[in-house]
């Protein structure tokens, strides 16, 4: 059992709970014990794309964590909360409500490399402890600014545009970007305060909502429904990098971790496959020297 289940995570379900639900349904479907991991935490208050890796695909979880992601999110203007979300305590208020033109004007400030201070209620470790544990205990948490990249951000045209007590945006961001911090800083740039009232991840790396399944469909699979469209092949997590076809001799060398030379190919990361076209390894080519980054055992 190797591949991916892309869950459209519902509101209120944590990432760890989602992994547990996948394990439970795999057992119920008769697959026994399968190694399972997720490719990027999604808060309980967020919904959307949560890639869950099975078997050898768990070796790609780190790569998935590093991938860029796309979110739709609603900023509710006028109140800032302790967690910068809908559940936190109100810590600041403002009567200022921006116009649509003002929102459009400030968004350009947030495209490209930016510095942002993560929320105090986050999983970042400070002296070995999670920031959210310190914050919940009432301790003062000093979060350090970090460099992230916002590849694109735009207004999401929907019904929230009529009264700018709130606005819904879409953002394509690098790893490590906190949407709650982005929303806070956009509100500050508009001379007001705000918090995230809705957060939905629409893409994580190569996976989008188009390939995501509902929790109900996952549960139906555990109760005997067909496997079709539930489990994607391991290759589905590799479509954003080129494939490299190897001869049987080259494939054996890669599987043994030996260095290859003399293969005409571009520098960078590739996924190598043998005669049966199944992935055998992630490989890195630098100046004509091909090294194995991570091998797969799909036998």
């Amino acid at each position: 059992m190797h591949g991916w289940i892309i869950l459209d995570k519902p509101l209120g379900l944590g990432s760890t709970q989602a992994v547990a639900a996948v394990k439970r349904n795999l057992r119920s479907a008769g697959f026994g014990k399968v190694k399972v991991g997720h490719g990027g935490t999604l808060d309980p208050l967020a919904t959307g794309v949560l890639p869950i890796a099975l078997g050898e695909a768990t070796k790609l979880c780190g790569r998935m964590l590093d991938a860029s992601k796309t979110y739709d999110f609603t900023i509710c203007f006028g109140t800032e909360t302790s967690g910068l979300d809908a559940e936190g305590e109100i810590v600041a208020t403002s009567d200022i409500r921006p116009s649509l033109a003002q929102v459009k004007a400030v968004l350009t400030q947030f495209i490209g490399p930016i510095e942002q201070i993560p929320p105090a209620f986050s999983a970042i470790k400070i002296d070995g402890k999670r920031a959210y544990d310190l914050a919940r205990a009432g301790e003062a948490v000093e979060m350090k600014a970090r460099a992230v990249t916002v590849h694109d951000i735009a207004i999401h045209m929907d019904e929230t545009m009529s009264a700018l007590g709130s606005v819904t945006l879409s953002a394509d961001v690098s790893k490590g970007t906190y949407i709650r911090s982005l929303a806070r800083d956009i509100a500050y740039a508009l001379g007001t305060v705000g918090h995230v009232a809705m957060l939905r991840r629409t893409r994580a790396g190569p996976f989008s909502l188009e390939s995501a399944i509902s929790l109900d469909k996952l549960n139906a699979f555990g109760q005997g429904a067909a496997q079709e469209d539930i489990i994607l092949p391991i290759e589905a997590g590799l479509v954003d990098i080129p494939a490299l076809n190897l001869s049987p001799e080259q494939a054996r060398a890669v599987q043994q971790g030996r260095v290859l030379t003399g293969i005409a190919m571009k520098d960078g990361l590739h996924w190598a496959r043998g005669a049966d076209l199944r992935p055998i390894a992630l490989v890195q080519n630098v100046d004509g020297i091909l090294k194995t980054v991570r091998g797969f055992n799909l036998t």
Side-chain angles (χ1 to χ4, degrees), residues 187-252:
Y188 286 172
L190 290 163
T192 185
V193 295
H195 67 271
V196 172
M198 182 280 293
L199 178 60
R200 181 161 176 77
R201 187 155 69 192
T202 58
R203 183 187 61 82
F207 299 116
S208 67
L209 284 170
E210 292 179 358
S211 55
I213 63 170
S214 67
L215 185 60
D216 286 344
K217 190 170 183 178
L218 174 66
N219 291 333
F221 163 68
Q223 295 166 7
Q227 181 180 333
E228 184 181 2
D229 299 329
I230 299 290
I231 301 174
L232 303 180
I234 191 172
E235 300 96 303
L238 298 168
V239 296
D240 54 339
I241 59 174
L244 174 64
N245 295 322
L246 298 179
S247 68
E249 182 179 348
Q250 291 169 331
R252 282 192 296 272

Side-chain angles (χ1 to χ4, degrees), residues 75-98:
I75 307 174
C76 182
F77 296 115
T79 55
E80 180 178 329
T81 65
S82 55
L84 304 178
D85 56 27
E87 283 194 343
E89 296 181 1
I90 295 175
V91 295
T93 61
S94 172
D95 293 330
I96 297 175
R97 301 292 183 271

Side-chain angles (χ1 to χ4, degrees), residues 36 120 126 191 218 264 299:
V36 180
I126 300 175
L218 174 66
T299 57

